mmCIF file of all heavy atoms in Angstrom:
data_model
loop_
_atom_site.group_PDB
_atom_site.id
_atom_site.type_symbol
_atom_site.label_atom_id
_atom_site.label_comp_id
_atom_site.label_asym_id
_atom_site.label_seq_id
_atom_site.Cartn_x
_atom_site.Cartn_y
_atom_site.Cartn_z
ATOM 1 N N ILE A 26 9.483 -11.791 -7.038
ATOM 2 C CA ILE A 26 8.392 -11.330 -7.897
ATOM 3 C C ILE A 26 7.071 -11.447 -7.152
ATOM 4 O O ILE A 26 6.882 -12.355 -6.331
ATOM 5 C CB ILE A 26 8.371 -12.139 -9.226
ATOM 6 C CG1 ILE A 26 7.264 -11.636 -10.158
ATOM 7 C CG2 ILE A 26 8.240 -13.640 -8.969
ATOM 8 C CD1 ILE A 26 7.340 -12.219 -11.561
ATOM 9 N N GLU A 27 6.174 -10.539 -7.426
ATOM 10 C CA GLU A 27 4.859 -10.541 -6.782
ATOM 11 C C GLU A 27 4.040 -11.730 -7.289
ATOM 12 O O GLU A 27 4.077 -12.055 -8.475
ATOM 13 C CB GLU A 27 4.175 -9.202 -7.095
ATOM 14 C CG GLU A 27 3.131 -8.782 -6.079
ATOM 15 C CD GLU A 27 1.755 -9.317 -6.437
ATOM 16 O OE1 GLU A 27 1.386 -9.210 -7.616
ATOM 17 O OE2 GLU A 27 1.082 -9.853 -5.546
ATOM 18 N N ARG A 28 3.338 -12.396 -6.386
ATOM 19 C CA ARG A 28 2.656 -13.652 -6.710
ATOM 20 C C ARG A 28 1.687 -13.524 -7.894
ATOM 21 O O ARG A 28 1.648 -14.383 -8.778
ATOM 22 C CB ARG A 28 1.917 -14.152 -5.468
ATOM 23 C CG ARG A 28 1.165 -15.460 -5.682
ATOM 24 C CD ARG A 28 -0.302 -15.253 -5.446
ATOM 25 N NE ARG A 28 -1.082 -16.473 -5.656
ATOM 26 C CZ ARG A 28 -2.354 -16.441 -6.027
ATOM 27 N NH1 ARG A 28 -2.966 -15.293 -6.211
ATOM 28 N NH2 ARG A 28 -3.010 -17.565 -6.203
ATOM 29 N N ALA A 29 0.889 -12.447 -7.942
ATOM 30 C CA ALA A 29 -0.107 -12.299 -9.022
ATOM 31 C C ALA A 29 0.570 -12.219 -10.385
ATOM 32 O O ALA A 29 0.110 -12.821 -11.370
ATOM 33 C CB ALA A 29 -0.970 -11.061 -8.786
ATOM 34 N N MET A 30 1.668 -11.476 -10.470
ATOM 35 C CA MET A 30 2.396 -11.360 -11.744
ATOM 36 C C MET A 30 3.001 -12.694 -12.150
ATOM 37 O O MET A 30 2.974 -13.088 -13.318
ATOM 38 C CB MET A 30 3.510 -10.311 -11.632
ATOM 39 C CG MET A 30 3.002 -8.895 -11.510
ATOM 40 S SD MET A 30 4.364 -7.725 -11.485
ATOM 41 C CE MET A 30 4.724 -7.633 -13.221
ATOM 42 N N LEU A 31 3.536 -13.406 -11.162
ATOM 43 C CA LEU A 31 4.140 -14.709 -11.434
ATOM 44 C C LEU A 31 3.088 -15.703 -11.899
ATOM 45 O O LEU A 31 3.300 -16.451 -12.861
ATOM 46 C CB LEU A 31 4.841 -15.224 -10.168
ATOM 47 C CG LEU A 31 5.516 -16.589 -10.260
ATOM 48 C CD1 LEU A 31 6.577 -16.604 -11.349
ATOM 49 C CD2 LEU A 31 6.126 -16.996 -8.927
ATOM 50 N N LEU A 32 1.945 -15.698 -11.248
ATOM 51 C CA LEU A 32 0.865 -16.635 -11.607
ATOM 52 C C LEU A 32 0.389 -16.397 -13.039
ATOM 53 O O LEU A 32 0.196 -17.337 -13.808
ATOM 54 C CB LEU A 32 -0.304 -16.494 -10.622
ATOM 55 C CG LEU A 32 -1.479 -17.444 -10.880
ATOM 56 C CD1 LEU A 32 -1.051 -18.897 -10.730
ATOM 57 C CD2 LEU A 32 -2.637 -17.150 -9.937
ATOM 58 N N LYS A 33 0.205 -15.127 -13.393
ATOM 59 C CA LYS A 33 -0.262 -14.783 -14.743
ATOM 60 C C LYS A 33 0.731 -15.282 -15.788
ATOM 61 O O LYS A 33 0.355 -15.888 -16.799
ATOM 62 C CB LYS A 33 -0.442 -13.264 -14.844
ATOM 63 C CG LYS A 33 -1.015 -12.772 -16.156
ATOM 64 C CD LYS A 33 -1.366 -11.284 -16.034
ATOM 65 C CE LYS A 33 -1.893 -10.730 -17.343
ATOM 66 N NZ LYS A 33 -0.851 -10.614 -18.374
ATOM 67 N N ALA A 34 2.025 -15.035 -15.534
ATOM 68 C CA ALA A 34 3.054 -15.429 -16.495
ATOM 69 C C ALA A 34 3.180 -16.949 -16.608
ATOM 70 O O ALA A 34 3.242 -17.502 -17.706
ATOM 71 C CB ALA A 34 4.396 -14.817 -16.097
ATOM 72 N N VAL A 35 3.178 -17.613 -15.463
ATOM 73 C CA VAL A 35 3.369 -19.074 -15.466
ATOM 74 C C VAL A 35 2.146 -19.787 -16.029
ATOM 75 O O VAL A 35 2.266 -20.798 -16.727
ATOM 76 C CB VAL A 35 3.698 -19.584 -14.039
ATOM 77 C CG1 VAL A 35 3.762 -21.094 -14.000
ATOM 78 C CG2 VAL A 35 5.030 -19.015 -13.577
ATOM 79 N N SER A 36 0.949 -19.273 -15.750
ATOM 80 C CA SER A 36 -0.260 -19.965 -16.228
ATOM 81 C C SER A 36 -0.343 -19.917 -17.749
ATOM 82 O O SER A 36 -0.748 -20.887 -18.390
ATOM 83 C CB SER A 36 -1.526 -19.386 -15.597
ATOM 84 O OG SER A 36 -1.661 -18.039 -15.932
ATOM 85 N N GLN A 37 0.051 -18.782 -18.344
ATOM 86 C CA GLN A 37 0.050 -18.690 -19.808
ATOM 87 C C GLN A 37 1.050 -19.687 -20.395
ATOM 88 O O GLN A 37 0.765 -20.391 -21.350
ATOM 89 C CB GLN A 37 0.430 -17.271 -20.239
ATOM 90 C CG GLN A 37 0.514 -17.076 -21.745
ATOM 91 C CD GLN A 37 -0.839 -16.964 -22.406
ATOM 92 O OE1 GLN A 37 -1.709 -16.243 -21.925
ATOM 93 N NE2 GLN A 37 -1.037 -17.658 -23.511
ATOM 94 N N ALA A 38 2.217 -19.757 -19.773
ATOM 95 C CA ALA A 38 3.259 -20.656 -20.286
ATOM 96 C C ALA A 38 2.890 -22.130 -20.115
ATOM 97 O O ALA A 38 2.998 -22.915 -21.057
ATOM 98 C CB ALA A 38 4.586 -20.361 -19.590
ATOM 99 N N GLN A 39 2.419 -22.498 -18.922
ATOM 100 C CA GLN A 39 2.178 -23.929 -18.674
ATOM 101 C C GLN A 39 1.032 -24.504 -19.497
ATOM 102 O O GLN A 39 0.961 -25.699 -19.734
ATOM 103 C CB GLN A 39 1.953 -24.188 -17.174
ATOM 104 C CG GLN A 39 0.692 -23.621 -16.585
ATOM 105 C CD GLN A 39 -0.490 -24.565 -16.641
ATOM 106 O OE1 GLN A 39 -0.335 -25.766 -16.552
ATOM 107 N NE2 GLN A 39 -1.666 -23.989 -16.787
ATOM 108 N N SER A 40 0.115 -23.648 -19.958
ATOM 109 C CA SER A 40 -1.013 -24.172 -20.743
ATOM 110 C C SER A 40 -0.562 -24.703 -22.112
ATOM 111 O O SER A 40 -1.266 -25.485 -22.740
ATOM 112 C CB SER A 40 -2.097 -23.103 -20.916
ATOM 113 O OG SER A 40 -1.601 -22.024 -21.684
ATOM 114 N N VAL A 41 0.597 -24.276 -22.574
ATOM 115 C CA VAL A 41 1.126 -24.773 -23.847
ATOM 116 C C VAL A 41 1.716 -26.170 -23.695
ATOM 117 O O VAL A 41 1.700 -26.970 -24.611
ATOM 118 C CB VAL A 41 2.216 -23.789 -24.380
ATOM 119 C CG1 VAL A 41 2.991 -24.390 -25.547
ATOM 120 C CG2 VAL A 41 1.580 -22.475 -24.790
ATOM 121 N N VAL A 42 2.213 -26.457 -22.486
ATOM 122 C CA VAL A 42 2.901 -27.731 -22.228
ATOM 123 C C VAL A 42 1.933 -28.900 -22.376
ATOM 124 O O VAL A 42 0.828 -28.884 -21.835
ATOM 125 C CB VAL A 42 3.512 -27.721 -20.805
ATOM 126 C CG1 VAL A 42 4.062 -29.088 -20.426
ATOM 127 C CG2 VAL A 42 4.607 -26.666 -20.717
ATOM 128 N N GLU A 43 2.351 -29.911 -23.136
ATOM 129 C CA GLU A 43 1.530 -31.114 -23.293
ATOM 130 C C GLU A 43 1.619 -31.957 -22.021
ATOM 131 O O GLU A 43 2.711 -32.172 -21.486
ATOM 132 C CB GLU A 43 2.031 -31.934 -24.487
ATOM 133 C CG GLU A 43 1.668 -31.351 -25.836
ATOM 134 C CD GLU A 43 0.184 -31.423 -26.140
ATOM 135 O OE1 GLU A 43 -0.518 -32.226 -25.504
ATOM 136 O OE2 GLU A 43 -0.279 -30.648 -26.999
ATOM 137 N N ARG A 44 0.476 -32.441 -21.554
ATOM 138 C CA ARG A 44 0.457 -33.240 -20.322
ATOM 139 C C ARG A 44 1.196 -34.573 -20.508
ATOM 140 O O ARG A 44 1.891 -35.030 -19.632
ATOM 141 C CB ARG A 44 -0.989 -33.520 -19.893
ATOM 142 C CG ARG A 44 -1.766 -32.268 -19.482
ATOM 143 C CD ARG A 44 -1.283 -31.727 -18.146
ATOM 144 N NE ARG A 44 -1.958 -30.483 -17.815
ATOM 145 C CZ ARG A 44 -1.509 -29.282 -18.126
ATOM 146 N NH1 ARG A 44 -0.375 -29.157 -18.796
ATOM 147 N NH2 ARG A 44 -2.171 -28.186 -17.775
ATOM 148 N N ARG A 45 0.989 -35.203 -21.655
ATOM 149 C CA ARG A 45 1.638 -36.497 -21.895
ATOM 150 C C ARG A 45 2.854 -36.262 -22.782
ATOM 151 O O ARG A 45 2.727 -36.034 -23.981
ATOM 152 C CB ARG A 45 0.663 -37.465 -22.577
ATOM 153 C CG ARG A 45 -0.488 -37.854 -21.679
ATOM 154 C CD ARG A 45 -1.396 -38.876 -22.327
ATOM 155 N NE ARG A 45 -2.009 -38.406 -23.554
ATOM 156 C CZ ARG A 45 -3.070 -37.606 -23.574
ATOM 157 N NH1 ARG A 45 -3.617 -37.187 -22.439
ATOM 158 N NH2 ARG A 45 -3.598 -37.217 -24.716
ATOM 159 N N ASN A 46 4.015 -36.321 -22.163
ATOM 160 C CA ASN A 46 5.243 -36.008 -22.873
ATOM 161 C C ASN A 46 6.224 -37.156 -22.841
ATOM 162 O O ASN A 46 6.415 -37.786 -21.813
ATOM 163 C CB ASN A 46 5.916 -34.800 -22.207
ATOM 164 C CG ASN A 46 5.816 -33.583 -23.099
ATOM 165 O OD1 ASN A 46 6.004 -33.685 -24.298
ATOM 166 N ND2 ASN A 46 5.511 -32.447 -22.506
ATOM 167 N N THR A 47 6.865 -37.434 -23.968
ATOM 168 C CA THR A 47 7.927 -38.445 -23.971
ATOM 169 C C THR A 47 9.291 -37.770 -23.829
ATOM 170 O O THR A 47 10.276 -38.425 -23.525
ATOM 171 C CB THR A 47 7.894 -39.259 -25.281
ATOM 172 O OG1 THR A 47 7.865 -38.339 -26.377
ATOM 173 C CG2 THR A 47 6.658 -40.139 -25.346
ATOM 174 N N ILE A 48 9.345 -36.459 -24.064
ATOM 175 C CA ILE A 48 10.606 -35.726 -23.921
ATOM 176 C C ILE A 48 10.516 -34.896 -22.641
ATOM 177 O O ILE A 48 9.767 -33.920 -22.565
ATOM 178 C CB ILE A 48 10.845 -34.808 -25.140
ATOM 179 C CG1 ILE A 48 10.694 -35.591 -26.443
ATOM 180 C CG2 ILE A 48 12.217 -34.142 -25.058
ATOM 181 C CD1 ILE A 48 10.674 -34.750 -27.689
ATOM 182 N N PRO A 49 11.252 -35.278 -21.588
ATOM 183 C CA PRO A 49 11.097 -34.629 -20.275
ATOM 184 C C PRO A 49 11.238 -33.100 -20.299
ATOM 185 O O PRO A 49 10.485 -32.408 -19.627
ATOM 186 C CB PRO A 49 12.222 -35.267 -19.436
ATOM 187 C CG PRO A 49 12.482 -36.585 -20.087
ATOM 188 C CD PRO A 49 12.233 -36.387 -21.543
ATOM 189 N N ILE A 50 12.157 -32.580 -21.102
ATOM 190 C CA ILE A 50 12.402 -31.126 -21.093
ATOM 191 C C ILE A 50 11.172 -30.344 -21.561
ATOM 192 O O ILE A 50 10.968 -29.201 -21.167
ATOM 193 C CB ILE A 50 13.649 -30.768 -21.953
ATOM 194 C CG1 ILE A 50 14.129 -29.329 -21.693
ATOM 195 C CG2 ILE A 50 13.390 -30.974 -23.437
ATOM 196 C CD1 ILE A 50 14.864 -29.126 -20.415
ATOM 197 N N LEU A 51 10.322 -30.993 -22.376
ATOM 198 C CA LEU A 51 9.129 -30.285 -22.888
ATOM 199 C C LEU A 51 8.069 -30.086 -21.807
ATOM 200 O O LEU A 51 7.117 -29.330 -21.994
ATOM 201 C CB LEU A 51 8.520 -31.031 -24.077
ATOM 202 C CG LEU A 51 9.355 -31.051 -25.364
ATOM 203 C CD1 LEU A 51 8.607 -31.753 -26.478
ATOM 204 C CD2 LEU A 51 9.739 -29.643 -25.804
ATOM 205 N N ALA A 52 8.228 -30.784 -20.676
ATOM 206 C CA ALA A 52 7.296 -30.575 -19.560
ATOM 207 C C ALA A 52 7.727 -29.375 -18.720
ATOM 208 O O ALA A 52 7.035 -28.963 -17.796
ATOM 209 C CB ALA A 52 7.234 -31.816 -18.686
ATOM 210 N N ASN A 53 8.897 -28.819 -19.039
ATOM 211 C CA ASN A 53 9.453 -27.735 -18.241
ATOM 212 C C ASN A 53 9.216 -26.361 -18.854
ATOM 213 O O ASN A 53 8.959 -26.231 -20.050
ATOM 214 C CB ASN A 53 10.960 -27.942 -18.062
ATOM 215 C CG ASN A 53 11.271 -28.976 -16.996
ATOM 216 O OD1 ASN A 53 10.404 -29.766 -16.625
ATOM 217 N ND2 ASN A 53 12.492 -28.977 -16.507
ATOM 218 N N VAL A 54 9.314 -25.357 -18.012
ATOM 219 C CA VAL A 54 9.283 -23.969 -18.458
ATOM 220 C C VAL A 54 10.691 -23.417 -18.263
ATOM 221 O O VAL A 54 11.356 -23.709 -17.260
ATOM 222 C CB VAL A 54 8.221 -23.146 -17.687
ATOM 223 C CG1 VAL A 54 8.458 -23.169 -16.188
ATOM 224 C CG2 VAL A 54 8.162 -21.702 -18.177
ATOM 225 N N LEU A 55 11.173 -22.670 -19.258
ATOM 226 C CA LEU A 55 12.503 -22.055 -19.170
ATOM 227 C C LEU A 55 12.360 -20.681 -18.514
ATOM 228 O O LEU A 55 11.616 -19.831 -19.012
ATOM 229 C CB LEU A 55 13.106 -21.926 -20.574
ATOM 230 C CG LEU A 55 14.404 -21.129 -20.720
ATOM 231 C CD1 LEU A 55 15.537 -21.763 -19.923
ATOM 232 C CD2 LEU A 55 14.807 -21.002 -22.188
ATOM 233 N N ILE A 56 13.036 -20.497 -17.395
ATOM 234 C CA ILE A 56 12.988 -19.215 -16.675
ATOM 235 C C ILE A 56 14.300 -18.481 -16.926
ATOM 236 O O ILE A 56 15.381 -19.023 -16.650
ATOM 237 C CB ILE A 56 12.800 -19.443 -15.151
ATOM 238 C CG1 ILE A 56 11.572 -20.329 -14.885
ATOM 239 C CG2 ILE A 56 12.671 -18.111 -14.417
ATOM 240 C CD1 ILE A 56 11.460 -20.803 -13.445
ATOM 241 N N GLU A 57 14.209 -17.273 -17.474
ATOM 242 C CA GLU A 57 15.405 -16.473 -17.766
ATOM 243 C C GLU A 57 15.275 -15.120 -17.076
ATOM 244 O O GLU A 57 14.322 -14.372 -17.354
ATOM 245 C CB GLU A 57 15.558 -16.270 -19.277
ATOM 246 C CG GLU A 57 15.721 -17.569 -20.057
ATOM 247 C CD GLU A 57 15.594 -17.383 -21.570
ATOM 248 O OE1 GLU A 57 14.499 -17.017 -22.040
ATOM 249 O OE2 GLU A 57 16.604 -17.575 -22.253
ATOM 250 N N ALA A 58 16.221 -14.808 -16.192
ATOM 251 C CA ALA A 58 16.161 -13.556 -15.432
ATOM 252 C C ALA A 58 17.345 -12.669 -15.794
ATOM 253 O O ALA A 58 18.489 -13.132 -15.794
ATOM 254 C CB ALA A 58 16.159 -13.849 -13.940
ATOM 255 N N GLU A 59 17.035 -11.417 -16.116
ATOM 256 C CA GLU A 59 18.102 -10.464 -16.438
ATOM 257 C C GLU A 59 17.575 -9.046 -16.271
ATOM 258 O O GLU A 59 16.412 -8.773 -16.600
ATOM 259 C CB GLU A 59 18.593 -10.680 -17.879
ATOM 260 C CG GLU A 59 19.933 -10.007 -18.135
ATOM 261 C CD GLU A 59 20.508 -10.382 -19.502
ATOM 262 O OE1 GLU A 59 20.210 -11.470 -20.013
ATOM 263 O OE2 GLU A 59 21.244 -9.553 -20.046
ATOM 264 N N GLY A 60 18.431 -8.140 -15.773
ATOM 265 C CA GLY A 60 18.008 -6.752 -15.587
ATOM 266 C C GLY A 60 16.896 -6.681 -14.568
ATOM 267 O O GLY A 60 17.041 -7.144 -13.434
ATOM 268 N N ASP A 61 15.742 -6.149 -14.974
ATOM 269 C CA ASP A 61 14.580 -6.121 -14.069
ATOM 270 C C ASP A 61 13.435 -6.940 -14.653
ATOM 271 O O ASP A 61 12.265 -6.694 -14.380
ATOM 272 C CB ASP A 61 14.132 -4.673 -13.802
ATOM 273 C CG ASP A 61 13.732 -3.957 -15.085
ATOM 274 O OD1 ASP A 61 13.892 -4.562 -16.173
ATOM 275 O OD2 ASP A 61 13.245 -2.816 -14.996
ATOM 276 N N THR A 62 13.782 -7.924 -15.487
ATOM 277 C CA THR A 62 12.768 -8.714 -16.185
ATOM 278 C C THR A 62 13.043 -10.201 -16.026
ATOM 279 O O THR A 62 14.194 -10.637 -16.046
ATOM 280 C CB THR A 62 12.764 -8.371 -17.700
ATOM 281 O OG1 THR A 62 12.580 -6.973 -17.847
ATOM 282 C CG2 THR A 62 11.644 -9.088 -18.427
ATOM 283 N N VAL A 63 11.966 -10.958 -15.882
ATOM 284 C CA VAL A 63 12.089 -12.417 -15.931
ATOM 285 C C VAL A 63 11.155 -12.894 -17.024
ATOM 286 O O VAL A 63 10.046 -12.377 -17.174
ATOM 287 C CB VAL A 63 11.751 -13.085 -14.570
ATOM 288 C CG1 VAL A 63 10.353 -12.712 -14.091
ATOM 289 C CG2 VAL A 63 11.884 -14.606 -14.649
ATOM 290 N N GLN A 64 11.611 -13.827 -17.842
ATOM 291 C CA GLN A 64 10.700 -14.359 -18.856
ATOM 292 C C GLN A 64 10.571 -15.869 -18.748
ATOM 293 O O GLN A 64 11.517 -16.575 -18.388
ATOM 294 C CB GLN A 64 11.064 -13.902 -20.256
ATOM 295 C CG GLN A 64 12.384 -14.294 -20.816
ATOM 296 C CD GLN A 64 12.530 -13.786 -22.247
ATOM 297 O OE1 GLN A 64 11.947 -12.772 -22.646
ATOM 298 N NE2 GLN A 64 13.317 -14.483 -23.046
ATOM 299 N N PHE A 65 9.355 -16.312 -19.020
ATOM 300 C CA PHE A 65 9.005 -17.723 -18.918
ATOM 301 C C PHE A 65 8.695 -18.215 -20.324
ATOM 302 O O PHE A 65 7.824 -17.661 -20.998
ATOM 303 C CB PHE A 65 7.788 -17.908 -18.001
ATOM 304 C CG PHE A 65 8.031 -17.410 -16.601
ATOM 305 C CD1 PHE A 65 7.842 -16.066 -16.279
ATOM 306 C CD2 PHE A 65 8.478 -18.270 -15.612
ATOM 307 C CE1 PHE A 65 8.079 -15.596 -14.999
ATOM 308 C CE2 PHE A 65 8.724 -17.814 -14.324
ATOM 309 C CZ PHE A 65 8.526 -16.473 -14.021
ATOM 310 N N ARG A 66 9.385 -19.265 -20.730
ATOM 311 C CA ARG A 66 9.237 -19.770 -22.097
ATOM 312 C C ARG A 66 8.816 -21.232 -22.041
ATOM 313 O O ARG A 66 9.429 -22.036 -21.342
ATOM 314 C CB ARG A 66 10.575 -19.638 -22.830
ATOM 315 C CG ARG A 66 10.550 -19.966 -24.319
ATOM 316 C CD ARG A 66 11.974 -19.962 -24.882
ATOM 317 N NE ARG A 66 12.613 -18.659 -24.787
ATOM 318 C CZ ARG A 66 12.646 -17.753 -25.767
ATOM 319 N NH1 ARG A 66 12.080 -18.031 -26.929
ATOM 320 N NH2 ARG A 66 13.269 -16.603 -25.593
ATOM 321 N N ALA A 67 7.757 -21.571 -22.780
ATOM 322 C CA ALA A 67 7.302 -22.967 -22.841
ATOM 323 C C ALA A 67 7.011 -23.318 -24.289
ATOM 324 O O ALA A 67 6.642 -22.450 -25.090
ATOM 325 C CB ALA A 67 6.049 -23.162 -21.995
#
């Protein structure tokens, strides 16, 4: 993926993530790739 597109997608997702987390998985972003699309979920 092109860096600018990746940065835009990841920055939107990571801003939702709470910095102080007791549940480790909530600090992560879920990356799902299929077809010609990748989606980032936080």
Side-chain angles (χ1 to χ4, degrees):
I26 182 170
E27 205 271 315
R28 180 241 179 208
M30 291 183 80
L31 179 59
L32 181 63
K33 184 170 178 289
V35 174
S36 61
Q37 178 77 46
Q39 68 90 33
S40 65
V41 169
V42 172
E43 285 291 341
R44 294 288 176 268
R45 293 184 299 280
N46 251 318
T47 51
I48 309 170
I50 194 76
L51 292 183
N53 281 18
V54 58
L55 171 62
I56 306 170
E57 299 169 295
E59 196 172 332
D61 60 355
T62 305
V63 57
Q64 62 178 28
F65 300 85
R66 187 187 297 264

